[in-house]
Structure formats: C-alpha cells, structure tokens
Amino acid sequence: MLASQLKSGLDTCSPQLASGSSLKDAPNQWSIRERCAGRWYTPLKDCTSIAAKVECIGAKDSRVERMTNKGEQKTAGKNSSGPAVNSITEDGQPVFLLEDLYPDAKSLFAPSHVPSADHADTLVSFDTNALLLPYNIGSQDLTALAKVLKELAESNRLFVADRVAREFIKNRDRKLADMLKALRDKTSRVQLPEQKLSPLLDGVEGYEDVTAASEKLSSAWKEYRKAQDKILTKMRDWRGTDPVSLVYNEVLADGRIVDLSESREALLKEWETRRSNKTPPGYKDSGKDDTGVGDFLIWKVLLKLGANHKKDLIFVTGEEKADWFVRSDAERVYPRPELVDEYRRASGGKSIRLSTLGELLEEMKVAAEVVSEVKAVERAANNAVQSAPVIKTVGIVTAVRRQRVKSAEFDYSTHDGCISVDQNGLSVDLRFSKASQEAIYFLRSGSTSRIARLKDVAPGQSVQIEDFDTTSSSYRIGFGEAFMALNTRGELLVGRITRILDDTRGDDHDEVAFIYDIFREGEFATAP
C-alpha cells in the first residue's frame, strides 16, 4: 500500500520518474529532492508528503526499497510469527541497532584493562592533534618525547594511521606560520621612547641617567631585532626540516605508517552506514566538508592493528568529543563502549585505551617537570578553539550558517571591570576580573541574573543556559573558552574569549577581548 502511494507521489512531484515505472527500475543516479509546502526538504521527519519521504539524493535502489518497505515491515512484524528483520525506527535507524553494535553479548562483561605504555606488549598509536602538540612545547620536552618515540619504534610498538600523517602535513605549515606571527607580534608590542627629554631638563637630577638608559635600551633593542631576524630567517627556510618533523621522519619510518587495503567505495559505504546510525567515532564531525570521515579512517587502522598484532593498544589523542568518550559534566571519562567492544572483537579479545600525550609520557617514566609542561600545553590547546562559520551537510546540500557575531575588547582594570555590550537593540551587562594570561574571572553583575562557563563547547554548537551550571557568581574562563550571561529581560549573550592581557605578567596593559552573539528570549542560541 505504502509503496504504491509513494510511487504515485513521485509521479506527481518528480518528472524524473516515468509514469508507470517501478521503483526498482529507477536508476542509481537519482537526484530527487521533493518539494513540500513551498520548501525543499531532505530530513525525512521534516515533511509529511509521501513523496518527500524518499530522500534519495544520490541514493541506491536499496535505500528506496528500505523506505518503501518501511510501513510493510512494521505490518509484517505485527501479523507474522516473528519481527521483521530489517525494520527501522521513525528516525530511520535499525530497530536492532544495539544487536548490530554488540553482536557478541557473551563477551560484554569482560574487563577492558590495558597495561601501562611501558609494557612490552602494548601498542601505541597517535592521533593528528597529538602529533601537532609538540609545536607548542619546549626543546627539552621535545627531546624527551623523541626518546620515548624511538623506544616505542625500536620495540615495534609505535604505529600511525596514514590518514593521521596526511592530516599532519595539511596542518603543519599553518602551525609554523602561527609561530612566525607570534614572534613578530612580540616585537611589535615593544615600544621604545619616541623622543629625547626636553633640553630644559638638562642639569636636573636624573636627566643624565635617563638619557644613558635610553641609549642602552635602544642598543639592546637593535640587538634583539637582529637576533630575532636570524630566527625568522631560519624558520622561513624550513622545508620539513623543523625539529618536530625531523623527529617524526626518524621514528615513523620502516612500516610505522599503516594504510587500509579496502577500496574507497567500500569504505565510503561503511562510513555512510555508521554515520547514519551514529556509530562512533566520527559522526560528531559530520558537519565538516569531508563529513567527518577522517576519524573513521583512523579508527579502521586501529582495528587493523588489533587484528594483525592481537595486542592491547593505547591511542594517544587530544579528542574530547562525545563520539570518542562517555562524558561527565563536560569531562571525558571512559572510551565509548562501542569502541572498546569493536576493538575487542577485531583483536581477538584485547583492549583499547584512549590517552593524552601527557599521560603517555607519565607512563613511560618521563621526568615529572616535562610531563607537567606537556599537560599544561594540552589544556591550553583544548581551550583554544577557533571561531569559524558552522558548516552543516544535509544529504548532498551544504549550508553555511552565518552567525551575527560581534567583537569587543576593553581594559578590565577600569570601570570596576564592567562593560555593557549591545547587538540589534539588545544589551547585556558583563564584568571581568584579573586571573592570568590564560584565563579571566567572569562575574555576575548589573542586570545579569545568571552566568555560566561553557567548557568544551565548539563554535556553532547549540546551547541553552539550563544545560550548564549557573549556581556561582563567578567563573574562571580560559582563553578560547565560551561563556554565557542571561539578563533580567531574558536576553542571552553567548561569547568566547579571544585575547587576555595582564600588566602584571609582562603586558603593557590589562585587556580582555571576546566575540559574542545576543539572542532574544526563546530564540535558538549557538556558541560563536
């Protein structure tokens, strides 16, 4: 019945299907987008017309068969002696998804302990963010890391997915360019006295001392610029010869880079199924241009390592997202059980653990001061998210949500740290106080009734104040972190810290800079 109605709807709404043709005869290259109530729809749940429920943009016959048989499967489940094997829920996911995710229930109660990284039988693999992190650590820390990597490689325990290597190369030069900019910015912020003292002051006590100190300062500044230019010239000459790349070139040779043997078509088909069913990892990145396939490809390599070596594995990553971890109050706690079970089945009963670079170095008995420095860099990296437009992919249609973001900056040592910001006739009072160069205190004040810290909230992520703690009158907000303020009129500001200056720690003045968006009461809010 449903199939015939669907067929009728397609004949009416889509001239691409010839009247009287069978759905099964439709070509694989269908490009159908049904129109309903004057709007184009791709999500099945958004439209009530039968024709709109096809959502077969670039789909195969099997997708159409699944949709046309949806109602018939449910009917069969009611009238037959057993449930329909391929039944799907209203949101398009298989009814037996849990059985598909955990096919071997008998093994689910087994512990998933992974020995320490210094254990002779524990494999170690790195994520892209972990390979890029050393660009923010000191040379002594890099030396310690290189020693650990060499030890792991020589014991045949270090491996990296080919996708990770490609992502590293894609992002490496941007990291180096950022280092160049940071070095130049330090120079531009130094201001020397622009002119000599008035001759009228000649003979006044201290005049000669100031003049001599000014000459020394000018001479020292010239020496500083000369030394800095040497560094900048050396950095510009790097062509895969920077200190980090040289370490990786040495330790990631001789079979350390692992690729996949499956065809791209097979991988894409598997990825589309996993993404549709929200099977971790990767689906949280579905808004990216590549639909988040990177994490999936890396995961496939980890499964291949487990299958080939039959050993426990530590995956070193800075990931925080919920498609890798079970989270508690925005903190990553456990690896997703789906990942643990899938690796166990692939490796013949072995386990996987997700670890930070700092934790790995700690387990490898690296000096405590190095571990502490690396962990501090990791915390800063997790907070330093970029405010980019949000890209969401629906079917084959890509939509860019252009946010109404504004920016503000002010000296928080003035006006008792208070500032009122506005946007489109809306205004919210904010107050900040000194903390450090990496964080600032955000306080409730004025007409603001509730404030919150939005830890680990990505740009473009939907937010509502009820989902965050608002019981405190002040919160410590790190560089790159988001925050929220609700005023007594119901207007909600969502912001993100982009710069913090502290005159007690080398900066010439106190300053906080942030981007923000203000939403009316009841309006859909997103983080900038």
Side-chain angles (χ1 to χ4, degrees):
M1 177 64 180
L2 180 61
S4 62
Q5 289 178 319
L6 181 58
K7 164 71 170 56
S8 175
L10 287 171
D11 287 343
T12 302
C13 300
S14 181
Q16 298 180 41
L17 293 180
S19 177
S21 63
S22 168
L23 288 174
K24 293 183 178 180
D25 296 331
N28 290 344
Q29 64 269 21
W30 276 356
S31 180
I32 304 169
R33 291 181 296 177
E34 301 305 335
R35 188 177 178 85
C36 177
R39 295 177 60 193
W40 290 100
Y41 288 83
T42 46
L44 303 179
K45 62 182 180 181
D46 287 343
C47 186
T48 56
S49 84
I50 294 175
K53 289 183 180 294
V54 178
E55 199 224 12
C56 50
I57 300 174
K60 301 290 186 180
D61 295 352
S62 59
R63 177 65 183 271
V64 179
E65 291 180 290
R66 188 181 80 165
M67 296 311 304
T68 56
N69 292 332
K70 179 178 178 181
E72 296 163 6
Q73 289 169 351
K74 289 186 176 180
T75 304
K78 292 180 180 179
N79 298 332
S80 64
S81 58
V85 174
N86 295 319
S87 293
I88 59 175
T89 62
E90 289 297 332
D91 61 0
Q93 292 191 343
V95 168
F96 296 105
L97 178 59
L98 206 57
E99 281 68 25
D100 293 337
L101 290 174
Y102 305 106
D104 183 13
K106 295 184 291 295
S107 67
L108 295 180
F109 293 103
S112 58
H113 172 73
V114 175
S116 175
D118 61 354
H119 191 280
D121 284 332
T122 302
L123 304 180
V124 177
S125 185
F126 278 69
D127 199 357
T128 311
N129 46 49
L131 287 187
L132 290 169
L133 192 73
Y135 283 104
N136 296 324
I137 65 178
S139 58
Q140 292 183 344
D141 302 334
L142 180 60
T143 300
L145 173 62
K147 182 179 179 180
V148 167
L149 295 178
K150 186 175 182 180
E151 178 182 342
L152 292 172
E154 290 177 348
S155 59
N156 196 33
R157 298 195 291 126
L158 176 65
F159 300 95
V160 168
D162 56 346
R163 175 74 181 205
V164 167
R166 294 183 177 102
E167 291 180 353
F168 172 83
I169 291 300
K170 176 184 176 182
N171 292 282
R172 177 190 62 188
D173 288 354
R174 171 46 51 193
K175 277 281 187 182
L176 295 174
D178 289 344
M179 291 171 61
L180 282 167
K181 182 179 184 302
L183 187 56
R184 288 194 297 264
D185 287 349
K186 286 183 179 294
T187 304
S188 64
R189 286 167 56 180
V190 176
Q191 296 183 354
L192 297 177
E194 296 182 357
Q195 59 184 13
K196 296 181 179 180
L197 296 178
S198 170
L200 182 63
L201 299 176
D202 191 4
V204 175
E205 184 178 358
Y207 177 85
E208 293 183 357
D209 293 337
V210 170
T211 301
S214 178
E215 291 175 354
K216 290 180 180 179
L217 186 60
S218 178
S219 176
W221 174 242
K222 291 178 181 178
E223 290 297 318
Y224 175 83
R225 288 296 303 269
K226 184 178 179 180
Q228 186 194 60
D229 287 343
K230 290 181 179 179
I231 297 176
L232 293 173
T233 299
K234 181 66 175 178
M235 292 180 67
R236 292 190 185 99
D237 288 340
W238 282 343
R239 297 294 185 273
T241 54
D242 62 88
V244 176
S245 295
L246 289 176
V247 170
Y248 294 157
N249 183 57
E250 179 182 358
V251 300
L252 296 179
D254 302 326
R256 301 297 110 201
I257 307 296
V258 183
D259 58 10
L260 296 171
S261 58
E262 293 98 323
S263 68
R264 292 186 179 183
E265 291 76 13
L267 289 170
L268 182 60
K269 182 178 180 180
E270 182 181 353
W271 167 235
E272 289 299 334
T273 300
R274 294 177 70 109
R275 186 163 66 100
S276 175
N277 294 335
K278 295 185 177 180
T279 303
Y283 70 84
K284 281 290 186 179
D285 288 332
S286 60
K288 291 183 176 180
D289 289 340
D290 64 359
T291 72
V293 72
D295 281 1
F296 163 68
L297 295 176
I298 294 169
W299 177 243
K300 288 286 289 183
V301 168
L302 299 184
L303 295 179
K304 179 177 180 178
L305 287 172
N308 290 346
H309 294 267
K310 307 297 184 195
K311 292 182 177 182
D312 297 313
L313 183 143
I314 295 175
F315 183 48
V316 183
T317 178
E319 277 288 358
E320 299 265 335
K321 294 190 296 296
D323 57 346
W324 283 97
F325 287 93
V326 176
R327 302 171 61 80
S328 174
D329 292 333
E331 176 188 1
R332 68 185 211 176
V333 182
Y334 309 113
R336 286 282 295 261
E338 300 96 324
L339 303 179
V340 173
D341 184 67
E342 189 172 9
Y343 185 84
R344 178 190 290 122
R345 287 184 280 112
S347 62
K350 298 300 180 178
S351 296
I352 187 170
R353 172 159 56 90
L354 310 184
S355 167
T356 65
L357 180 58
E359 291 167 346
L360 175 79
L361 296 179
E362 194 169 30
E363 293 179 17
M364 293 295 291
K365 307 299 188 296
V366 173
E369 58 270 20
V370 173
V371 172
S372 178
E373 176 64 24
V374 171
K375 288 185 175 181
V377 171
E378 286 178 318
R379 287 192 296 270
N382 288 334
N383 291 335
V385 292
Q386 298 180 357
S387 55
V390 181
I391 310 290
K392 288 195 174 181
T393 303
V394 183
I396 61 171
V397 182
T398 301
V400 180
R401 182 184 185 276
R402 301 191 180 275
Q403 298 176 310
R404 311 161 298 180
V405 173
K406 294 184 67 175
S407 61
E409 58 184 49
F410 83 109
D411 187 337
Y412 56 82
S413 66
T414 64
H415 305 290
D416 200 24
C418 295
I419 182 176
S420 180
V421 295
D422 64 273
Q423 182 190 63
N424 299 328
L426 310 177
S427 65
V428 177
D429 296 327
L430 305 175
R431 185 183 180 192
F432 297 92
S433 180
K434 185 189 298 287
S436 71
Q437 287 179 314
E438 298 296 334
I440 192 163
Y441 286 112
F442 178 46
L443 306 96
R444 186 170 62 236
S445 68
S447 63
T448 303
S449 60
R450 301 166 71 185
I451 62 174
R453 175 195 182 198
L454 278 55
K455 184 181 179 183
D456 299 323
V457 170
Q461 182 175 330
S462 61
V463 292
Q464 52 185 357
I465 199 162
E466 291 78 11
D467 294 338
F468 300 90
D469 175 65
T470 60
T471 59
S472 179
S473 60
S474 67
Y475 293 91
R476 185 182 173 96
I477 312 297
F479 168 72
E481 281 192 331
F483 60 94
M484 184 182 290
L486 179 70
N487 65 20
T488 54
R489 297 183 298 275
E491 297 164 351
L492 180 67
L493 178 144
V494 188
R496 189 179 299 278
I497 302 297
T498 58
R499 184 170 67 253
I500 301 172
L501 301 181
D502 185 345
D503 64 0
T504 65
R505 294 176 170 84
D507 296 316
D508 55 4
H509 66 287
D510 292 328
E511 183 180 276
V512 60
F514 54 94
I515 54 176
Y516 68 93
D517 202 348
I518 303 179
F519 304 85
R520 290 182 171 83
E521 185 174 6
E523 190 177 1
F524 181 80
T526 57

